[in-house]
């Protein structure tokens, strides 16, 4: 079932936020096409079992999410220092089902160009549409990092008053895990942090679990969740109207521009890691043309 | 299933394409975005934006262009060529960014299209010269072949009374003709997918009340649907058609190939209109001899090759969504070296001219909070294209047009449409012009942009005034008609071409461009006098000796760009990214 996607099979994936389950409650969901039961136990524990076989999967509770692994875990869940900083409000911002590949969701998360058109009045506004050149690289830790990303935003956060030039840093940790660091106008030098733990339900279906570590400027968790849900609800119809629903890795499948530098790098990185779940791989004969 | 991709099929009713709507259709598993432009042209495109695959059927039909909802990319009516990418407002999109289109025809109340036609659309002979009424389409969850088989059983009379004795005749695998008492009805089956179809009927010479007829056949065809679907339920459902998406051009995915050398003449056009548009300015409407003309971006120019062997550059005045022609304005120069004289006197309606595809070297940003366009004399031509683009998008702008007199205002119909966005300044002396410009450019605000095209002295004056009044250089864009500087080509130096791994000597009396071309490097060029920007190259190392009028002072000082047709090197060696 997993084909060459052993890396994904052996990775940890979020399958449910802890707080949506009462003690003893069971939820059925799926991970990479495999139906699973997620059960919350008393004393802050959980179990995840394959629906068909009853096989129990490795489970961890971290960041108040339930994580499971279909195979044998080869590396631990990513460490997020921001989640342990005392002066942040730390909340699950909502889990959003999307009828599209999770890789499309990652790519959309890395994209600034759509702000004025999809998040009009919030994260962008015409005529300020320019995506200035930025840096995008693969780090020594084999993550993707995009830096010096600047964009004009009319309402950058739930408590923003007036437009500001926002600086972003984007970080892809794993194929289905992506985060951003974003200017908070009231805290010099420190940034708000949002991470998406994307659960690959199927190759063309996912749940994006959002986790927010915001610097506490007094806005409270409700407003934060409201803002995340507003923004994601604007993205969802776009994501579900992308054809094909899987992310094509061929450089000739779609038309990249300079603003898509990090997306181009992401596709190449997925290709280099042989990730095909949720992707349309490059054909063998096209491989030799693969030179950006 | 019987699949003939060359066949034409009805894919929508004419009523499905009302003003400013985008309709989602489907043929053989391929999704279609169908939209009617304000000029009534019906576009049928592959239903995905080539940038990120978002369905164009959720895009915005702006009348002349279709805008993708995701990143605001704009695609032209007719050609489907991309005219604007908001993320890079200062750049003209590559000419080759073009959505995939299907041929389409509107006839007999239906929109017809074909995946891969080998012939032009022809309606069934029986429709020739007859009245017709397109019936309400009936979607059916069944294979097209099965739907067609049952379509033969449909009973019909011309007046909607109880039908008997209908003769039916299957036609070329995609429709049936039903005949009763000398009257005809055609029933088409649109293949949506392997297991889905749409019944589309046409009544010929309908008699009586149209609403009653539509209602009657809606009932009749709905009953037919039930029969077809009941039959389909007894059969195994066929697998859906696998659709693969075509790839984009290799040069969009990789390093762009350099264009061929020299001024280009890849298009042939016919002069379909020639008229004096103002005192001394002749306008020419050029129409394609074959196929569609490439998409125009505001500010673009073409090379026109004249019967006398000369070539000249002219800006296109086209507004958005005018895919069927190019319009240029040519001023008769009193000291014409033969170019404008030839255009005015020798070129006639009906003549064939060779032209280049449009080059967008003077692109219009559309991320300005306010745009000021300043035109002097014949410099109005690119400004007309820009003004119409801004007007169509409802973006704030003012066009200031300086001319000798009322009689010297060209292209009046376009000017009249600009309404309050137009300010004319007539018969001003140079001093008065300066004063008017100072007033026009009195206040600069963030994200304002200024575009200037006109005679050299006026252009210089405008740039100076803008600079004095606080306009940053990157907000001031200009296009000279010609480079009047005397080119000093006495220097000798070495040019190293980084990508081609070649080192060439440029002797006195020869331009870099000429040396490149002599050595077989394909280098595009157009005006070859340092005005149009076509031969622009990137400088990796060395100090250029700029002699052009295309680059701004800041660009020149940065030493990163060079126009190879006139500029040279101050350093002994120049390394170019060629």
């Amino acid at each position: 079932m997993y084909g060459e996607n052993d890396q994904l099979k052996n990775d940890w994936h979020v399958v449910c936020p802890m707080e949506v389950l009462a003690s003893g409650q069971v939820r059925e969901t799926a991970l990479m096409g495999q139906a699973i039961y997620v059960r919350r136990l008393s004393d802050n524990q959980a179990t995840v079992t394959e629906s068909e076989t009853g096989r129990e999967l490795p489970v961890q509770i971290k960041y108040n999410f339930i994580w499971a692994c279909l195979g044998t875990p080869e590396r631990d869940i990513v460490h997020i220092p921001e989640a342990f900083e005392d002066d942040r409000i730390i909340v699950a911002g909502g889990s959003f089902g999307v009828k599209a590949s999770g890789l499309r969701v990652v790519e959309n998360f890395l994209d600034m160009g759509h702000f004025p058109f999809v998040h009009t009045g919030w994260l962008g506004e015409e005529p300020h549409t320019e995506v200035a050149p930025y840096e995008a690289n693969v780090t020594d830790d084999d993550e993707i990092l995009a830096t010096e990303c600047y964009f004009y935003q009319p309402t950058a956060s739930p408590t923003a008053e007036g437009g500001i030039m926002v600086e972003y840093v984007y970080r892809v940790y794993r194929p289905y895990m992506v985060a951003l660091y974003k200017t908070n106008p009231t805290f010099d030098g420190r940034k708000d942090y949002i991470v998406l733990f994307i659960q690959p339900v199927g190759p063309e279906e996912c749940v994006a679990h959002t986790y927010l570590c915001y610097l506490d400027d007094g806005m409270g968790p409700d407003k934060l969740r409201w803002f995340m849900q507003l923004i994601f609800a604007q993205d969802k119809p776009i994501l579900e109207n992308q054809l094909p629903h899987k992310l094509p890795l061929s450089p000739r499948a779609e038309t990249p521009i300079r603003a898509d530098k990090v997306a181009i790098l992401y596709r190449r990185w997925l290709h280099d890691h042989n990730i095909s779940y949720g992707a349309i791989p490059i054909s063998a004969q096209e491989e030799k043309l693969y030179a950006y | 299933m019987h699949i003939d991709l060359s066949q034409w099929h009805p894919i929508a009713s004419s009523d499905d394409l009302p003003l400013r709507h985008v309709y989602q259709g489907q043929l053989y598993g391929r999704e279609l975005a169908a939209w009617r432009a304000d000029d009534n042209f019906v576009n049928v495109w592959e239903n995905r934006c080539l940038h990120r695959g978002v369905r164009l059927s959720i895009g915005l039909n702006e009348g002349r262009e279709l805008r993708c909802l995701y990143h605001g990319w704009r695609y032209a009516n007719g050609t489907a060529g991309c005219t604007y990418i908001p993320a890079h407002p200062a750049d003209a999109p590559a000419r080759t960014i073009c959505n995939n289109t299907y041929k389409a025809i509107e006839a007999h109340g239906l929109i017809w299209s074909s995946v891969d036609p080998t012939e032009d659309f022809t309606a069934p002979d029986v429709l020739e010269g007859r009245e017709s009424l397109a019936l309400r389409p009936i979607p059916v969850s069944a294979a097209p072949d099965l739907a067609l088989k049952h379509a033969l059983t449909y009973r019909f009379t011309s007046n909607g009374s109880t039908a008997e004795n209908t003769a039916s005749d299957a036609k070329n695998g995609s429709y049936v003709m039903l005949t009763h008492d000398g009257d005809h009805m055609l029933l088409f089956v649109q293949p949506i997918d392997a297991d889905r179809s749409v019944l589309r009927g046409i009544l010929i010479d309908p008699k009586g009340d149209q609403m009653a007829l539509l209602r009657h056949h809606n009932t009749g065809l709905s009953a037919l649907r039930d029969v077809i679907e009941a039959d389909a339920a007894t059969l195994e459902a066929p697998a859906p058609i696998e659709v693969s998406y075509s790839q984009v051009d290799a040069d969009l995915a990789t390093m762009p190939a350099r264009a061929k050398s020299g001024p280009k003449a890849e298009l042939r056009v016919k002069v379909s209109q020639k008229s004096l548009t103002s005192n001394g300015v002749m306008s020419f409407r050029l129409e394609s001899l074959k196929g569609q003309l490439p998409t125009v971006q505001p500010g673009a120019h073409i090379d026109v090759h004249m019967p006398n062997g000369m070539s000249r550059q002219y800006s296109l005045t086209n507004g958005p969504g005018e895919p069927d022609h190019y319009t240029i304005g040519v001023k008769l120069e009193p000291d014409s070296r033969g170019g404008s004289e030839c255009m005015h006197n020798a070129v006639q309606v009906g003549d064939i001219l060779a032209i280049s595809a449009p080059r967008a070297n003077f692109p219009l940003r559309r991320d300005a909070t306010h745009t000021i366009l300043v035109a002097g004399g014949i410099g109005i031509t690119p400004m007309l294209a820009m003004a119409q683009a801004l007007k169509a998008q409802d973006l704030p702008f003012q066009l200031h047009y300086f001319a000798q007199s009322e009689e010297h205002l060209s292209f009046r119909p376009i000017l009249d449409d600009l309404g309050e966005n137009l300010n004319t300044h007539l018969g001003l002396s140079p001093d008065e012009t300066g004063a008017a410009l100072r007033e026009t450019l009195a206040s600069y605000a963030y994200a304002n942009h200024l575009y200037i095209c006109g005679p050299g002295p006026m252009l210089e004056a405008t740039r100076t005034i803008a600079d004095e009044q606080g306009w940053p250089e990157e907000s001031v864009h200009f296009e000279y008609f010609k480079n009047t500087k005397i080119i000093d080509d006495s220097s000798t130096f070495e040019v190293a071409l980084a990508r081609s791994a070649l080192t060439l000597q440029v002797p006195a009396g020869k331009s870099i461009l000429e040396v490149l071309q002599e050595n077989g490097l394909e280098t595009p060029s157009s005006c070859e006098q340092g005005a149009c920007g076509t031969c622009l190259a990137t400088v990796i190392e060395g100090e250029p000796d700029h002699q052009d009028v295309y680059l701004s002072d800041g660009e020149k000082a940065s030493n990163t760009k060079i126009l190879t047709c006139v500029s040279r090197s101050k350093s002994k060696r120049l390394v170019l990214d060629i």
Side-chain angles (χ1 to χ4, degrees):
Chain A
M1 175 189 299
Y2 316 111
E4 62 257 34
N5 292 286
D6 284 352
Q7 183 195 329
L8 287 179
K9 193 185 78 172
N10 294 332
D11 249 345
W12 291 99
H13 300 279
V14 168
V15 292
C16 193
M18 209 46 183
E19 65 197 28
V20 302
L21 293 181
S23 182
Q25 194 180 349
V26 178
R27 168 175 287 200
E28 184 163 21
T29 176
L31 189 58
M32 295 180 76
Q34 184 69 57
I36 50 173
Y37 288 118
V38 182
R39 178 192 295 271
R40 180 172 179 168
L41 310 174
S42 54
D43 69 356
N44 213 27
Q45 295 296 309
T47 58
V48 177
T49 49
E50 280 186 355
S51 307
E52 281 172 32
T53 62
R55 179 172 74 98
E56 206 159 306
L57 302 182
V59 173
Q60 283 196 63
I61 313 291
K62 191 149 192 182
Y63 311 121
N64 212 25
F65 285 91
I66 301 166
W67 300 68
C69 174
L70 286 169
T72 312
E74 287 171 351
R75 49 181 178 177
D76 204 359
I77 296 168
V78 171
H79 175 65
I80 301 170
E82 286 75 13
F84 300 95
E85 291 175 7
D86 289 343
D87 58 348
R88 289 179 184 264
I89 314 185
I90 297 172
V91 294
S95 297
F96 306 92
V98 184
K99 292 274 190 192
S101 162
L103 306 178
R104 286 274 195 198
V105 177
V106 172
E107 195 172 272
N108 178 67
F109 192 76
L110 296 171
D111 181 76
M112 291 187 284
H114 74 289
F115 289 164
F117 302 98
V118 178
H119 306 297
T120 314
W122 298 98
L123 304 185
E125 191 169 57
E126 286 186 273
H128 309 290
T129 56
E130 183 161 22
V131 177
Y134 58 89
E135 284 298 318
N137 295 293
V138 177
T139 66
D140 293 342
D141 297 329
D142 198 24
E143 296 176 351
I144 294 174
L145 207 59
T147 53
E148 296 168 46
C149 309
Y150 293 94
F151 208 83
Y152 173 84
Q153 299 197 329
T155 321
S157 79
T159 48
E161 287 172 22
I164 52 165
M165 191 58 93
V166 174
E167 186 190 358
Y168 279 91
V169 172
Y170 290 102
R171 182 170 184 178
V172 182
Y173 297 92
R174 308 239 165 125
Y176 283 85
M177 181 177 168
V178 60
L180 65 77
Y181 304 79
K182 175 179 179 176
T183 308
N184 181 313
T186 47
F187 289 83
D188 264 1
R190 294 180 66 200
K191 287 188 164 58
D192 294 329
Y193 175 87
I194 303 174
V195 60
L196 300 191
F197 306 126
I198 298 170
Q199 172 188 353
V201 172
E204 300 186 357
E205 190 178 352
C206 68
V207 179
H209 302 277
T210 62
Y211 185 54
L212 316 175
C213 304
Y214 266 58
L215 295 159
D216 189 355
D217 58 4
M219 80 177 78
D222 291 355
K223 213 160 188 187
L224 244 173
R225 283 200 188 92
W226 167 81
F227 189 68
M228 190 67 227
Q229 291 174 16
L230 168 84
I231 298 300
F232 206 95
Q234 292 170 338
D235 284 317
K236 181 176 150 90
I238 296 286
L239 290 165
E240 295 184 341
N241 275 292
Q242 276 178 290
L243 298 177
H245 297 304
K246 288 186 228 173
L247 184 72
L249 301 188
S250 161
R252 286 184 58 191
E254 293 175 350
T255 312
I257 55 170
R258 288 200 311 283
D260 300 322
K261 191 173 175 180
V262 66
I264 296 166
L265 192 59
Y266 176 58
R267 291 183 184 197
R268 185 164 55 187
W269 181 82
L270 291 172
H271 170 76
D272 291 345
H273 288 79
N274 215 8
I275 300 295
S276 64
Y277 199 82
I280 301 173
I282 301 174
S283 64
Q285 65 262 42
E286 207 197 328
E287 186 116 18
K288 60 180 182 292
L289 294 169
Y290 199 78
Y292 286 97
Chain B
M1 154 188 196
H2 167 82
I3 296 182
D4 179 0
L5 296 181
S6 69
Q7 196 140 37
W8 287 81
H9 295 279
I11 57 114
S13 302
S14 290
D15 297 347
D16 289 329
L17 273 54
L19 186 70
R20 303 284 172 107
H21 178 62
V22 188
Y23 172 83
Q24 180 177 334
Q26 191 164 309
L27 194 56
Y28 289 122
R30 292 148 176 88
E31 280 194 22
L32 311 171
W35 63 284
R36 186 189 298 280
D38 286 0
D39 67 0
N40 234 11
F41 185 87
V42 172
N43 295 276
V44 176
W45 297 355
E46 183 181 67
N47 193 19
R48 56 192 289 269
C49 171
L50 280 193
H51 176 220
R52 280 288 170 266
V54 168
R55 284 194 175 100
L56 292 169
S57 55
I58 64 168
L60 301 174
N61 174 353
E62 297 197 343
R64 297 161 170 227
E65 292 174 318
L66 187 69
R67 198 177 92 172
C68 177
L69 211 58
Y70 196 8
H71 294 94
W73 287 28
R74 312 180 74 86
Y75 296 98
N77 172 28
T79 59
C82 180
T83 59
Y84 188 63
I85 296 175
H88 299 308
D91 302 341
R95 265 211 322 273
T96 41
I97 298 184
C98 196
N99 279 314
N100 297 319
T101 60
Y102 295 97
K103 285 194 172 169
I105 289 283
E106 183 172 22
H108 308 292
L110 296 172
I111 310 298
W112 307 76
S113 190
S114 170
V115 174
D116 191 15
T118 48
E119 287 168 20
D120 285 344
F121 170 77
T122 47
D125 292 343
V126 65
L127 283 164
E128 196 65 43
R130 310 282 287 274
E131 289 271 306
S132 60
L133 174 64
L135 302 177
R136 179 172 169 266
I138 305 289
V140 185
S141 289
D145 296 346
L146 188 67
L148 199 64
K149 190 181 95 184
H150 285 280
L152 285 164
T153 67
Y154 191 61
R155 294 283 175 265
F156 133 88
T157 60
S158 61
N159 60 9
S161 62
T162 309
E164 288 166 27
N165 303 328
T166 302
S168 52
D169 188 7
K171 299 282 189 183
N172 74 7
S174 74
Y175 73 100
V176 299
M177 184 161 86
L178 306 164
T179 308
H180 176 265
D181 211 5
D183 294 315
H184 301 294
M185 167 180 171
L186 304 181
L187 192 50
F188 290 83
V189 174
Q190 173 193 353
I192 296 283
D193 208 326
D195 60 346
R196 284 184 296 145
S197 320
V198 180
L199 300 174
R200 294 184 181 274
I202 301 180
L203 291 185
I204 300 172
D205 287 336
K207 298 189 181 80
D209 178 40
Q210 279 206 356
M211 280 309 292
L213 283 172
L214 289 173
R215 215 172 281 131
H216 169 78
H217 285 285
N218 192 45
T219 309
L221 290 171
S222 296
L224 178 63
R225 163 175 50 196
D226 295 344
V227 172
I228 301 170
E229 290 186 347
D231 195 3
T234 66
L235 304 169
E236 196 178 328
I241 297 172
E242 288 263 343
V243 177
S244 60
Y245 298 102
S246 56
Q247 296 198 310
V248 299
D249 285 356
D251 62 348
L252 292 179
T254 54
M255 185 77 85
R258 294 186 65 82
K260 294 248 188 302
S261 286
K264 296 259 282 286
E266 63 263 50
L267 304 175
R268 296 288 176 279
V269 289
K270 189 161 118 179
V271 179
S272 65
Q273 278 174 31
K274 173 189 177 189
S275 61
L276 211 55
T277 172
S278 70
N279 198 344
V281 176
M282 196 71 80
S283 87
F284 295 84
R285 182 186 168 101
L286 310 174
E287 292 183 9
S288 172
L289 278 187
K290 196 177 150 212
Q292 205 136 33
L293 292 167
T295 310
V296 179
Q297 291 149 7
H301 78 266
I302 54 172
D303 299 334
V304 175
H305 298 260
M306 297 171 201
N308 64 4
M310 301 180 108
S311 80
R312 287 284 180 274
Q313 291 71 48
Y314 296 107
S315 295
L316 300 176
T317 64
N318 289 55
E322 296 178 349
D324 57 338
H325 68 277
Y326 293 157
T327 303
I328 57 171
V330 180
K331 184 186 175 198
L332 183 61
E333 298 291 345
D335 54 349
S336 170
R337 287 178 295 148
S340 64
E341 197 277 332
C342 176
M343 288 299 287
H344 271 250
N345 299 324
V347 173
Q348 298 300 336
V349 170
D351 285 0
I352 308 297
L353 294 175
I355 64 169
S356 70
R359 294 179 216 275
N361 295 341
F362 189 33
L364 172 69
R365 298 178 70 112
R366 304 188 210 182
D367 64 340
T369 49
H370 189 72
T371 302
I372 296 178
L373 308 174
V374 173
I378 191 62
I380 189 64
T381 50
M383 297 302 166
L384 288 174
M386 292 185 178
Q388 291 177 89
L390 294 167
K391 182 93 181 168
Q393 267 182 260
D394 208 15
L395 295 170
F397 77 99
Q398 287 295 314
L399 168 59
H400 293 269
Y401 186 4
F402 292 79
Q404 282 177 48
S405 73
E406 192 84 17
E407 289 69 43
H408 287 82
L409 294 175
S410 303
F411 297 99
R412 289 304 286 264
I414 301 176
L415 295 176
D416 291 343
D417 282 347
L418 296 177
E420 292 183 350
N421 296 111
L422 175 70
N423 307 273
T424 53
H425 305 269
L426 303 176
L428 303 187
S429 68
D431 285 349
E432 291 167 334
T433 301
L437 285 168
R438 253 182 287 281
E439 197 189 319
T440 301
L441 304 176
S443 59
Y444 166 78
Y446 172 70
N448 285 8
H449 283 269
L450 167 64
Y451 293 80
I452 323 162
C453 186
M458 180 196 161
L459 214 155
E460 297 289 350
T462 314
R463 286 176 67 187
T464 306
I465 290 166
D467 181 49
E468 286 166 2
Q469 305 200 133
W471 286 72
E473 195 186 276
E474 60 273 18
S475 290
V476 179
H477 316 269
F478 49 85
E479 183 172 73
Y480 284 81
F481 300 151
K482 55 186 173 196
N483 187 359
T484 51
K485 290 182 186 167
I486 294 166
I487 307 300
D488 177 354
D489 60 1
S490 60
S491 58
T492 59
F493 53 96
E494 186 179 280
V495 177
L497 309 176
R499 260 190 287 161
S500 312
L502 257 183
T503 300
L504 303 169
Q505 296 299 323
V506 181
K510 266 196 185 156
S511 69
I512 300 175
L513 181 71
E514 283 169 326
V515 172
L516 294 177
Q517 291 179 347
E518 281 172 10
N519 282 278
L521 286 141
E522 293 194 336
T523 322
S525 62
S526 177
C527 77
E528 303 191 346
Q529 51 164 290
C532 79
T534 304
C535 64
L536 186 73
T538 298
V539 178
I540 296 172
E541 200 184 302
E543 188 186 352
D545 172 16
H546 296 289
Q547 305 199 41
D548 63 278
V549 291
Y550 179 79
L551 297 174
S552 69
D553 294 341
E555 287 168 327
K556 285 178 180 167
S558 76
N559 285 341
T560 56
K561 303 272 178 214
I562 187 170
L563 289 197
T564 56
C565 66
V566 291
S567 297
R568 307 180 69 80
S569 181
K570 285 182 182 163
S571 48
K572 290 304 289 170
R573 178 182 156 90
L574 204 57
V575 183
L576 301 182
D577 186 23
I578 290 178

